[in-house]
Amino acid sequence: MNAEPVCIKDLEEIASRVMPSGMWDYYDSGANGQQTKAENESAFGHYRLHPRMLRDVSAISTETTVLGQRVKTPLGVSPCAMHRLAHDDGEAATSRAASRSGSIMILSTFSTVSLEDVIAQGSGRGTQYWMQLYVYRDRSVTESIVRRAERAGYKALVVTVDAPVLGRRLADARRKFGPPPHVQLANFFTPQRSTAGVYLDPDGEFSKTFGANLDRALTWTNGIDWLRSITSLPIVVKGVLTAEDTRLAIEHGCAGVMVSNHGGRQLDGTLATIDALPQVVEAAGDQIEVYMDGGVRRGTDIFKALALGARAVFVARPVLWGLVYKGEDGAYLALGLLQKELETAMMLAGAPSIADIDESYVYRPARRWVRLEPAKGGSARRIAAKL
Ligand SMILES: Cc1cc2nc3c(=O)[nH]c(=O)nc-3n(C[C@H](O)[C@H](O)[C@H](O)COP(=O)(O)O)c2cc1C
Ligand SMILES: CC(C)CC(=O)C(=O)O
């Protein structure tokens, strides 16, 4: 295909053709049977729109506020490790693209351009940068990232809580995937810096590097309360899929939760994120902001997530595919395609501003997942057996 891509699926198709297979597999893979990865996308198709006509849609605005700050669009970039697998300019290119689009960018701790260099590419253009954290066994490593993020101007910390261990991605396991030597985890290892307390697998196998550094004993108390005690930056918990954990995030003073299943790369068999969103929104009430990511490939997906109560909607793989296609301009194209599609959906649905988009615009599927509740003196398993 030589024509300019006109939708995210075009970018995916190009990336799947031009990326070396090991790197494509790392970007693409979900965990195990990849059910959750597939359903993140397909579940959007189960929601239908309820558009309204003859509303003045001559002026569309996607402006909104996130964490109290104005942003041009509710569409943001989810954190992804190692953008230099996609393009030599890596996260520097993504940063320029995000700032041109006015999209919030969440930077992965495992970035291949340092957090200081990433924000320097785009600051002053009116968008926000948030820093994603994995909490390390050696807390001084996490604390030093927090201090650097504060100094550099990041506006929030996004703690990823769905990865006490890396999900089992079969293609990566078969290949013992590791990045090529020129792709460095730039917040820790550069020719000038090697961070004490961070283990790097000598054979370069990524899942081993990850597993050795992360604290599997992490809890709301020793993780979230601890972080709150060392920083005044707002804390967003990424990887929440339930009302129960949303209530805990509120109790522990978080500013927001991101409904995410890590793009289906961690626990396979969870709800698709669009299906998990309503219970989180209900539990959040007006106490905490709710964001979501996972499987967003069209403007109407963003519209549906906003209608179900997300304050902002993030994408990961689409931006990586854009980077593969044309670096900064490709990532900008990916965000631009989604932004245009969102604006078109708003016009066609009769909702000229983000504040107009509410639940009245969507039909939810009638068939819903129902949780088994333990009965008095009985376990959920027994109830299931009786059915
Ligand atoms: C290649 C890749 C690397 C990722 N790295 C991180 C990461 O470093 N930290 C994190 O919190 N999430 C990471 N994620 C998960 C994304 O932030 C996001 O939750 C998910 O991919 C969203 O789904 P989407 O790719 O369908 O948009 C990664 C996802 C991909 C595809
Ligand atoms: C291994 C991580 C650093 C990146 C990640 O979260 C992912 O690959 O899904």
Side-chain angles (χ1 to χ4, degrees):
M1 190 197 313
N2 294 319
E4 173 89 346
V6 297
C7 65
I8 295 300
K9 286 284 157 193
D10 288 353
L11 285 173
E12 177 176 14
E13 195 275 324
I14 293 170
S16 73
R17 270 193 292 111
V18 305
M19 275 191 103
S21 59
M23 299 185 198
W24 166 258
D25 282 346
Y26 168 65
Y27 276 2
D28 180 60
S29 280
N32 304 95
Q34 310 195 85
Q35 179 190 41
T36 298
K37 180 201 166 211
E39 287 187 1
N40 272 351
E41 280 189 44
S42 63
F44 280 104
H46 301 148
Y47 294 79
R48 298 284 191 278
L49 294 167
H50 183 81
R52 300 299 310 278
M53 304 300 149
L54 296 173
R55 295 188 166 173
D56 178 356
V57 291
S58 56
I60 288 284
S61 167
T62 61
E63 255 196 33
T64 184
T65 62
V66 180
L67 293 178
Q69 312 255 335
R70 291 216 75 75
V71 283
K72 244 168 81 179
T73 172
L75 170 65
V77 180
S78 276
C80 278
M82 302 191 290
H83 290 200
R84 291 195 68 210
L85 292 177
H87 190 273
D88 265 355
D89 294 346
E91 292 83 357
T94 316
S95 173
R96 291 191 292 269
S99 68
R100 279 165 70 192
S101 311
S103 291
I104 294 172
M105 174 170 175
I106 310 179
L107 181 69
S108 168
T109 296
F110 279 70
S111 61
T112 44
V113 175
S114 75
L115 66 93
E116 291 83 1
D117 288 347
V118 170
I119 198 168
Q121 297 293 319
S123 55
R125 297 220 212 179
T127 192
Q128 288 188 51
Y129 288 81
W130 297 355
M131 186 70 211
Q132 180 262 331
L133 293 178
Y134 283 116
V135 181
Y136 293 79
R137 290 184 190 169
D138 181 342
R139 290 287 195 281
S140 70
V141 174
T142 309
E143 182 161 357
S144 92
I145 296 278
V146 171
R147 297 288 167 248
R148 287 170 58 192
E150 288 171 338
R151 274 197 300 275
Y154 287 76
K155 293 282 184 275
L157 299 172
V158 178
V159 188
T160 301
V161 294
D162 58 11
V165 59
L166 207 63
R168 191 155 166 76
R169 301 124 190 208
L170 302 184
D172 292 351
R174 288 191 187 102
R175 193 176 263 120
K176 298 190 191 313
F177 173 76
H182 73 280
V183 173
Q184 303 262 351
L185 302 181
N187 291 319
F188 304 120
F189 304 102
T190 63
Q192 297 80 33
R193 178 197 298 130
S194 177
T195 305
V198 180
Y199 167 87
L200 194 60
D201 179 57
D203 299 326
E205 193 175 340
F206 201 53
S207 65
K208 290 197 179 145
T209 294
F210 188 84
N213 290 304
L214 279 259
D215 186 1
R216 291 185 194 175
L218 202 67
T219 64
W220 290 98
T221 316
N222 70 22
I224 306 302
D225 292 352
W226 169 75
L227 262 182
R228 285 197 63 222
S229 76
I230 66 158
T231 182
S232 55
L233 283 178
I235 292 171
V236 173
V237 179
K238 174 172 181 278
V240 165
L241 291 167
T242 61
E244 296 91 312
D245 284 340
T246 308
R247 288 191 281 272
L248 284 166
I250 296 168
E251 269 173 42
H252 289 267
C254 298
V257 289
M258 165 108 63
V259 177
S260 176
N261 52 34
H262 216 108
R265 294 160 73 79
Q266 290 297 111
L267 179 64
D268 195 28
T270 68
L271 287 182
T273 46
I274 191 70
D275 289 332
L277 181 62
Q279 65 175 286
V280 171
V281 166
E282 192 184 337
D286 55 10
Q287 298 191 65
I288 192 169
E289 292 192 348
V290 178
Y291 322 114
M292 72 85 71
D293 73 14
V296 174
R297 303 290 180 264
R298 298 181 178 84
T300 45
D301 298 342
I302 304 171
F303 187 96
K304 288 171 184 174
L306 295 173
L308 292 174
R311 184 138 204 113
V313 177
F314 290 79
V315 288
R317 292 183 185 91
V319 174
L320 298 175
W321 298 330
L323 273 180
V324 171
Y325 172 57
K326 261 188 193 169
E328 173 189 338
D329 287 342
Y332 181 65
L333 175 67
L335 292 167
L337 288 170
L338 288 167
Q339 174 71 17
K340 261 267 154 301
E341 287 181 5
L342 170 63
E343 290 171 10
T344 305
M346 290 168 71
M347 281 191 249
L348 296 177
S353 76
I354 297 297
D356 293 318
I357 306 173
D358 63 18
E359 268 196 311
S360 70
Y361 285 92
V362 276
Y363 295 92
R364 291 192 198 178
R367 232 186 94 228
R368 305 264 288 280
W369 298 109
V370 178
R371 283 183 64 226
L372 297 174
E373 296 289 348
K376 278 201 188 91
S379 69
R381 193 176 293 279
R382 280 196 210 115
I383 298 166
K386 273 188 228 147
L387 290 177

